[in-house]
Amino acid sequence: MRKIPVKTKSGQYTVSVGSGILDSLAKLTPALQQHKLVFLLTSPEIWALWGQRVRAALAPREPIVLFLPAGERHKRLGQVERLTTEMARAGADRSSLLIAFGGG
């Protein structure tokens, strides 16, 4: 797993990229406790295959799952607006965590 430090004007965070990360989520779980809400962005197809395993890896935290259909045609600003609206309605704030889980 590769950890990429990201620095912005308002703070810093780490992005983890690589294979085998799913099995590493259990190790990352203690760090997840600092976040008020955990959101997980994935496609319905990926969630059907891996959802139970992801939930187990994040336990006892229960992520709020957001779906973006697979395919480039769905990667549009309208979808970003829909997802951010869903997050806001669920109570997302600066202390929330968003995990992208899936392909490209």
Side-chain angles (χ1 to χ4, degrees):
M1 173 171 40
R2 182 172 175 209
K3 294 186 178 243
I4 303 168
V6 178
K7 294 181 183 178
T8 67
K9 290 180 183 179
S10 61
Q12 58 187 24
Y13 57 93
T14 302
V15 174
S16 300
V17 180
S19 61
I21 290 179
L22 184 57
D23 296 325
S24 301
L25 283 178
K27 295 176 186 174
L28 299 174
T29 301
L32 297 176
Q33 300 308 317
Q34 67 183 323
H35 298 284
K36 179 178 147 186
L37 292 174
V38 176
F39 294 89
L40 192 131
L41 176 61
T42 191
S43 71
E45 296 84 2
I46 295 292
W47 190 247
L49 292 171
W50 297 98
Q52 289 181 344
R53 191 165 167 198
V54 170
R55 277 201 165 110
L58 291 174
R61 296 301 301 265
E62 182 65 33
I64 298 168
V65 182
L66 306 169
F67 292 107
L68 182 64
E72 292 301 313
R73 70 181 185 277
H74 296 290
K75 296 175 183 175
R76 301 286 183 251
L77 288 177
Q79 291 287 351
V80 172
E81 183 178 9
R82 177 186 63 79
L83 293 167
T84 55
T85 299
E86 286 183 39
M87 291 175 70
R89 286 184 180 151
D93 62 17
R94 294 176 66 86
S95 70
S96 300
L97 174 67
L98 175 61
I99 299 171
F101 182 73

PDB file of all heavy atoms in Angstrom, residues 3-5 8-10 15 17 20 24 28 31 35 37 42 47 55 64 71 75 79-81 90 97-98 102-104:
ATOM      1  N   LYS A   3       1.129   5.302   0.617  1.00  0.00           N
ATOM      2  CA  LYS A   3       0.469   6.418   1.292  1.00  0.00           C
ATOM      3  C   LYS A   3       0.982   7.713   0.686  1.00  0.00           C
ATOM      4  O   LYS A   3       2.183   7.946   0.645  1.00  0.00           O
ATOM      5  CB  LYS A   3       0.730   6.365   2.788  1.00  0.00           C
ATOM      6  CG  LYS A   3       0.085   5.162   3.432  1.00  0.00           C
ATOM      7  CD  LYS A   3       0.245   5.219   4.937  1.00  0.00           C
ATOM      8  CE  LYS A   3      -0.463   4.025   5.525  1.00  0.00           C
ATOM      9  NZ  LYS A   3      -1.553   4.383   6.357  1.00  0.00           N
ATOM     10  N   ILE A   4       0.051   8.525   0.225  1.00  0.00           N
ATOM     11  CA  ILE A   4       0.401   9.783  -0.422  1.00  0.00           C
ATOM     12  C   ILE A   4      -0.058  10.930   0.469  1.00  0.00           C
ATOM     13  O   ILE A   4      -1.261  11.103   0.704  1.00  0.00           O
ATOM     14  CB  ILE A   4      -0.270   9.892  -1.803  1.00  0.00           C
ATOM     15  CG1 ILE A   4       0.136   8.703  -2.680  1.00  0.00           C
ATOM     16  CG2 ILE A   4       0.071  11.222  -2.468  1.00  0.00           C
ATOM     17  CD1 ILE A   4      -0.672   8.563  -3.945  1.00  0.00           C
ATOM     18  N   PRO A   5       0.881  11.722   0.989  1.00  0.00           N
ATOM     19  CA  PRO A   5       0.473  12.865   1.812  1.00  0.00           C
ATOM     20  C   PRO A   5      -0.068  13.988   0.923  1.00  0.00           C
ATOM     21  O   PRO A   5       0.498  14.292  -0.132  1.00  0.00           O
ATOM     22  CB  PRO A   5       1.771  13.284   2.515  1.00  0.00           C
ATOM     23  CG  PRO A   5       2.870  12.771   1.647  1.00  0.00           C
ATOM     24  CD  PRO A   5       2.326  11.573   0.922  1.00  0.00           C
ATOM     25  N   THR A   8      -3.159  20.881   1.935  1.00  0.00           N
ATOM     26  CA  THR A   8      -3.982  21.956   1.386  1.00  0.00           C
ATOM     27  C   THR A   8      -3.848  23.164   2.309  1.00  0.00           C
ATOM     28  O   THR A   8      -3.249  23.080   3.379  1.00  0.00           O
ATOM     29  CB  THR A   8      -5.458  21.538   1.298  1.00  0.00           C
ATOM     30  OG1 THR A   8      -5.978  21.375   2.618  1.00  0.00           O
ATOM     31  CG2 THR A   8      -5.636  20.245   0.506  1.00  0.00           C
ATOM     32  N   LYS A   9      -4.452  24.253   1.913  1.00  0.00           N
ATOM     33  CA  LYS A   9      -4.410  25.450   2.745  1.00  0.00           C
ATOM     34  C   LYS A   9      -5.060  25.212   4.106  1.00  0.00           C
ATOM     35  O   LYS A   9      -4.649  25.770   5.102  1.00  0.00           O
ATOM     36  CB  LYS A   9      -5.103  26.614   2.042  1.00  0.00           C
ATOM     37  CG  LYS A   9      -4.352  27.130   0.849  1.00  0.00           C
ATOM     38  CD  LYS A   9      -5.097  28.284   0.215  1.00  0.00           C
ATOM     39  CE  LYS A   9      -4.378  28.763  -1.026  1.00  0.00           C
ATOM     40  NZ  LYS A   9      -5.085  29.864  -1.686  1.00  0.00           N
ATOM     41  N   SER A  10      -6.090  24.366   4.121  1.00  0.00           N
ATOM     42  CA  SER A  10      -6.847  24.175   5.364  1.00  0.00           C
ATOM     43  C   SER A  10      -6.385  22.973   6.189  1.00  0.00           C
ATOM     44  O   SER A  10      -6.890  22.760   7.286  1.00  0.00           O
ATOM     45  CB  SER A  10      -8.337  24.028   5.055  1.00  0.00           C
ATOM     46  OG  SER A  10      -8.547  22.902   4.238  1.00  0.00           O
ATOM     47  N   VAL A  15      -3.731   9.877   1.485  1.00  0.00           N
ATOM     48  CA  VAL A  15      -4.489   9.038   0.572  1.00  0.00           C
ATOM     49  C   VAL A  15      -3.741   7.713   0.466  1.00  0.00           C
ATOM     50  O   VAL A  15      -2.536   7.696   0.218  1.00  0.00           O
ATOM     51  CB  VAL A  15      -4.611   9.690  -0.827  1.00  0.00           C
ATOM     52  CG1 VAL A  15      -5.285   8.752  -1.812  1.00  0.00           C
ATOM     53  CG2 VAL A  15      -5.353  11.014  -0.731  1.00  0.00           C
ATOM     54  N   VAL A  17      -3.287   4.142  -1.467  1.00  0.00           N
ATOM     55  CA  VAL A  17      -3.541   3.563  -2.778  1.00  0.00           C
ATOM     56  C   VAL A  17      -2.777   2.242  -2.887  1.00  0.00           C
ATOM     57  O   VAL A  17      -1.632   2.155  -2.448  1.00  0.00           O
ATOM     58  CB  VAL A  17      -3.064   4.511  -3.905  1.00  0.00           C
ATOM     59  CG1 VAL A  17      -3.335   3.911  -5.276  1.00  0.00           C
ATOM     60  CG2 VAL A  17      -3.691   5.872  -3.773  1.00  0.00           C
ATOM     61  N   GLY A  20      -4.612  -4.895  -1.959  1.00  0.00           N
ATOM     62  CA  GLY A  20      -4.617  -5.444  -0.603  1.00  0.00           C
ATOM     63  C   GLY A  20      -5.127  -4.489   0.453  1.00  0.00           C
ATOM     64  O   GLY A  20      -5.075  -4.802   1.638  1.00  0.00           O
ATOM     65  N   SER A  24      -6.428  -4.335   4.775  1.00  0.00           N
ATOM     66  CA  SER A  24      -5.778  -3.399   5.689  1.00  0.00           C
ATOM     67  C   SER A  24      -6.766  -2.483   6.400  1.00  0.00           C
ATOM     68  O   SER A  24      -6.385  -1.769   7.316  1.00  0.00           O
ATOM     69  CB  SER A  24      -4.769  -2.533   4.927  1.00  0.00           C
ATOM     70  OG  SER A  24      -3.794  -3.328   4.320  1.00  0.00           O
ATOM     71  N   LEU A  28      -6.724   0.187   9.796  1.00  0.00           N
ATOM     72  CA  LEU A  28      -7.030   1.607   9.712  1.00  0.00           C
ATOM     73  C   LEU A  28      -8.230   1.999  10.561  1.00  0.00           C
ATOM     74  O   LEU A  28      -8.460   3.166  10.808  1.00  0.00           O
ATOM     75  CB  LEU A  28      -7.295   2.002   8.251  1.00  0.00           C
ATOM     76  CG  LEU A  28      -6.145   1.799   7.276  1.00  0.00           C
ATOM     77  CD1 LEU A  28      -6.620   2.084   5.864  1.00  0.00           C
ATOM     78  CD2 LEU A  28      -4.971   2.681   7.629  1.00  0.00           C
ATOM     79  N   ALA A  31      -8.125   4.695  13.274  1.00  0.00           N
ATOM     80  CA  ALA A  31      -8.048   6.056  12.755  1.00  0.00           C
ATOM     81  C   ALA A  31      -9.416   6.554  12.297  1.00  0.00           C
ATOM     82  O   ALA A  31      -9.678   7.753  12.308  1.00  0.00           O
ATOM     83  CB  ALA A  31      -7.055   6.118  11.597  1.00  0.00           C
ATOM     84  N   HIS A  35     -13.555  10.287  12.892  1.00  0.00           N
ATOM     85  CA  HIS A  35     -14.500  10.881  11.954  1.00  0.00           C
ATOM     86  C   HIS A  35     -15.935  10.668  12.431  1.00  0.00           C
ATOM     87  O   HIS A  35     -16.317   9.570  12.820  1.00  0.00           O
ATOM     88  CB  HIS A  35     -14.308  10.283  10.555  1.00  0.00           C
ATOM     89  CG  HIS A  35     -12.945  10.553  10.006  1.00  0.00           C
ATOM     90  ND1 HIS A  35     -12.579  11.771   9.511  1.00  0.00           N
ATOM     91  CD2 HIS A  35     -11.846   9.763   9.915  1.00  0.00           C
ATOM     92  CE1 HIS A  35     -11.314  11.727   9.121  1.00  0.00           C
ATOM     93  NE2 HIS A  35     -10.856  10.517   9.367  1.00  0.00           N
ATOM     94  N   LEU A  37     -18.813  10.877  10.650  1.00  0.00           N
ATOM     95  CA  LEU A  37     -19.532  10.013   9.712  1.00  0.00           C
ATOM     96  C   LEU A  37     -18.553   9.449   8.692  1.00  0.00           C
ATOM     97  O   LEU A  37     -17.621  10.140   8.268  1.00  0.00           O
ATOM     98  CB  LEU A  37     -20.619  10.789   8.973  1.00  0.00           C
ATOM     99  CG  LEU A  37     -21.814  11.263   9.794  1.00  0.00           C
ATOM    100  CD1 LEU A  37     -22.716  12.148   8.940  1.00  0.00           C
ATOM    101  CD2 LEU A  37     -22.594  10.092  10.344  1.00  0.00           C
ATOM    102  N   THR A  42     -19.210   3.854  -4.078  1.00  0.00           N
ATOM    103  CA  THR A  42     -18.933   2.674  -4.890  1.00  0.00           C
ATOM    104  C   THR A  42     -20.033   2.496  -5.933  1.00  0.00           C
ATOM    105  O   THR A  42     -20.998   3.265  -5.970  1.00  0.00           O
ATOM    106  CB  THR A  42     -18.811   1.420  -3.985  1.00  0.00           C
ATOM    107  OG1 THR A  42     -18.291   0.341  -4.748  1.00  0.00           O
ATOM    108  CG2 THR A  42     -20.136   1.047  -3.352  1.00  0.00           C
ATOM    109  N   TRP A  47     -20.415  -3.139  -4.852  1.00  0.00           N
ATOM    110  CA  TRP A  47     -20.975  -3.340  -3.522  1.00  0.00           C
ATOM    111  C   TRP A  47     -21.579  -4.734  -3.386  1.00  0.00           C
ATOM    112  O   TRP A  47     -21.443  -5.381  -2.343  1.00  0.00           O
ATOM    113  CB  TRP A  47     -22.004  -2.265  -3.201  1.00  0.00           C
ATOM    114  CG  TRP A  47     -22.437  -2.290  -1.779  1.00  0.00           C
ATOM    115  CD1 TRP A  47     -23.678  -2.610  -1.303  1.00  0.00           C
ATOM    116  CD2 TRP A  47     -21.642  -1.993  -0.626  1.00  0.00           C
ATOM    117  NE1 TRP A  47     -23.691  -2.521   0.068  1.00  0.00           N
ATOM    118  CE2 TRP A  47     -22.455  -2.154   0.508  1.00  0.00           C
ATOM    119  CE3 TRP A  47     -20.309  -1.614  -0.449  1.00  0.00           C
ATOM    120  CZ2 TRP A  47     -21.992  -1.941   1.805  1.00  0.00           C
ATOM    121  CZ3 TRP A  47     -19.847  -1.404   0.834  1.00  0.00           C
ATOM    122  CH2 TRP A  47     -20.684  -1.565   1.945  1.00  0.00           C
ATOM    123  N   ARG A  55     -17.984  -4.020   5.025  1.00  0.00           N
ATOM    124  CA  ARG A  55     -18.666  -3.750   6.305  1.00  0.00           C
ATOM    125  C   ARG A  55     -17.931  -4.428   7.462  1.00  0.00           C
ATOM    126  O   ARG A  55     -17.751  -3.848   8.523  1.00  0.00           O
ATOM    127  CB  ARG A  55     -20.105  -4.221   6.245  1.00  0.00           C
ATOM    128  CG  ARG A  55     -21.018  -3.231   5.606  1.00  0.00           C
ATOM    129  CD  ARG A  55     -22.476  -3.506   6.027  1.00  0.00           C
ATOM    130  NE  ARG A  55     -23.274  -2.357   5.704  1.00  0.00           N
ATOM    131  CZ  ARG A  55     -24.187  -2.324   4.752  1.00  0.00           C
ATOM    132  NH1 ARG A  55     -24.422  -3.393   4.025  1.00  0.00           N
ATOM    133  NH2 ARG A  55     -24.875  -1.238   4.530  1.00  0.00           N
ATOM    134  N   ILE A  64     -22.088   5.017   5.516  1.00  0.00           N
ATOM    135  CA  ILE A  64     -23.230   5.425   4.709  1.00  0.00           C
ATOM    136  C   ILE A  64     -22.796   5.210   3.265  1.00  0.00           C
ATOM    137  O   ILE A  64     -21.854   5.843   2.800  1.00  0.00           O
ATOM    138  CB  ILE A  64     -23.612   6.887   4.979  1.00  0.00           C
ATOM    139  CG1 ILE A  64     -24.030   7.050   6.448  1.00  0.00           C
ATOM    140  CG2 ILE A  64     -24.712   7.341   4.017  1.00  0.00           C
ATOM    141  CD1 ILE A  64     -24.163   8.481   6.898  1.00  0.00           C
ATOM    142  N   GLY A  71     -19.269   3.221 -15.264  1.00  0.00           N
ATOM    143  CA  GLY A  71     -19.202   3.763 -16.619  1.00  0.00           C
ATOM    144  C   GLY A  71     -18.866   5.238 -16.644  1.00  0.00           C
ATOM    145  O   GLY A  71     -19.285   6.009 -15.784  1.00  0.00           O
ATOM    146  N   LYS A  75     -19.857   9.765 -14.804  1.00  0.00           N
ATOM    147  CA  LYS A  75     -18.894  10.627 -14.113  1.00  0.00           C
ATOM    148  C   LYS A  75     -19.087  12.051 -14.601  1.00  0.00           C
ATOM    149  O   LYS A  75     -18.320  12.571 -15.411  1.00  0.00           O
ATOM    150  CB  LYS A  75     -17.474  10.119 -14.340  1.00  0.00           C
ATOM    151  CG  LYS A  75     -17.261   8.742 -13.727  1.00  0.00           C
ATOM    152  CD  LYS A  75     -15.897   8.195 -14.044  1.00  0.00           C
ATOM    153  CE  LYS A  75     -15.753   6.797 -13.476  1.00  0.00           C
ATOM    154  NZ  LYS A  75     -14.488   6.158 -13.856  1.00  0.00           N
ATOM    155  N   GLN A  79     -23.831  14.225 -11.183  1.00  0.00           N
ATOM    156  CA  GLN A  79     -23.690  13.131 -10.218  1.00  0.00           C
ATOM    157  C   GLN A  79     -22.961  13.620  -8.962  1.00  0.00           C
ATOM    158  O   GLN A  79     -23.303  13.227  -7.848  1.00  0.00           O
ATOM    159  CB  GLN A  79     -22.950  11.945 -10.834  1.00  0.00           C
ATOM    160  CG  GLN A  79     -23.736  11.220 -11.889  1.00  0.00           C
ATOM    161  CD  GLN A  79     -24.870  10.384 -11.304  1.00  0.00           C
ATOM    162  OE1 GLN A  79     -25.003  10.195 -10.113  1.00  0.00           O
ATOM    163  NE2 GLN A  79     -25.712   9.878 -12.183  1.00  0.00           N
ATOM    164  N   VAL A  80     -21.955  14.459  -9.148  1.00  0.00           N
ATOM    165  CA  VAL A  80     -21.242  15.026  -7.991  1.00  0.00           C
ATOM    166  C   VAL A  80     -22.216  15.825  -7.135  1.00  0.00           C
ATOM    167  O   VAL A  80     -22.227  15.703  -5.903  1.00  0.00           O
ATOM    168  CB  VAL A  80     -20.059  15.908  -8.450  1.00  0.00           C
ATOM    169  CG1 VAL A  80     -19.438  16.641  -7.272  1.00  0.00           C
ATOM    170  CG2 VAL A  80     -19.023  15.081  -9.181  1.00  0.00           C
ATOM    171  N   GLU A  81     -23.061  16.617  -7.783  1.00  0.00           N
ATOM    172  CA  GLU A  81     -24.060  17.400  -7.050  1.00  0.00           C
ATOM    173  C   GLU A  81     -25.020  16.483  -6.291  1.00  0.00           C
ATOM    174  O   GLU A  81     -25.336  16.711  -5.128  1.00  0.00           O
ATOM    175  CB  GLU A  81     -24.832  18.298  -8.010  1.00  0.00           C
ATOM    176  CG  GLU A  81     -25.839  19.179  -7.299  1.00  0.00           C
ATOM    177  CD  GLU A  81     -26.564  20.116  -8.249  1.00  0.00           C
ATOM    178  OE1 GLU A  81     -26.427  19.981  -9.482  1.00  0.00           O
ATOM    179  OE2 GLU A  81     -27.288  20.980  -7.745  1.00  0.00           O
ATOM    180  N   ALA A  90     -27.316  13.687   5.014  1.00  0.00           N
ATOM    181  CA  ALA A  90     -26.964  12.695   6.036  1.00  0.00           C
ATOM    182  C   ALA A  90     -26.184  13.320   7.191  1.00  0.00           C
ATOM    183  O   ALA A  90     -25.885  12.645   8.169  1.00  0.00           O
ATOM    184  CB  ALA A  90     -26.159  11.566   5.412  1.00  0.00           C
ATOM    185  N   LEU A  97     -15.598  11.405   6.705  1.00  0.00           N
ATOM    186  CA  LEU A  97     -14.616  10.712   5.875  1.00  0.00           C
ATOM    187  C   LEU A  97     -15.326  10.127   4.667  1.00  0.00           C
ATOM    188  O   LEU A  97     -16.393   9.526   4.799  1.00  0.00           O
ATOM    189  CB  LEU A  97     -13.946   9.593   6.676  1.00  0.00           C
ATOM    190  CG  LEU A  97     -12.993   8.674   5.924  1.00  0.00           C
ATOM    191  CD1 LEU A  97     -11.756   9.435   5.475  1.00  0.00           C
ATOM    192  CD2 LEU A  97     -12.597   7.498   6.807  1.00  0.00           C
ATOM    193  N   LEU A  98     -14.742  10.279   3.490  1.00  0.00           N
ATOM    194  CA  LEU A  98     -15.272   9.693   2.263  1.00  0.00           C
ATOM    195  C   LEU A  98     -14.254   8.684   1.743  1.00  0.00           C
ATOM    196  O   LEU A  98     -13.103   9.034   1.491  1.00  0.00           O
ATOM    197  CB  LEU A  98     -15.533  10.768   1.203  1.00  0.00           C
ATOM    198  CG  LEU A  98     -15.984  10.270  -0.179  1.00  0.00           C
ATOM    199  CD1 LEU A  98     -17.294   9.512  -0.095  1.00  0.00           C
ATOM    200  CD2 LEU A  98     -16.077  11.444  -1.140  1.00  0.00           C
ATOM    201  N   GLY A 102     -13.594   1.024  -5.415  1.00  0.00           N
ATOM    202  CA  GLY A 102     -13.945   0.448  -6.699  1.00  0.00           C
ATOM    203  C   GLY A 102     -12.918   0.736  -7.748  1.00  0.00           C
ATOM    204  O   GLY A 102     -11.744   0.970  -7.464  1.00  0.00           O
ATOM    205  N   GLY A 103     -13.391   0.773  -8.965  1.00  0.00           N
ATOM    206  CA  GLY A 103     -12.516   0.899 -10.118  1.00  0.00           C
ATOM    207  C   GLY A 103     -12.052   2.307 -10.388  1.00  0.00           C
ATOM    208  O   GLY A 103     -11.786   3.083  -9.480  1.00  0.00           O
ATOM    209  N   GLY A 104     -11.992   2.662 -11.667  1.00  0.00           N
ATOM    210  CA  GLY A 104     -11.419   3.912 -12.141  1.00  0.00           C
ATOM    211  C   GLY A 104     -12.006   5.139 -11.680  1.00  0.00           C
ATOM    212  O   GLY A 104     -12.008   5.749 -10.742  1.00  0.00           O
TER     213      GLY A 104
END
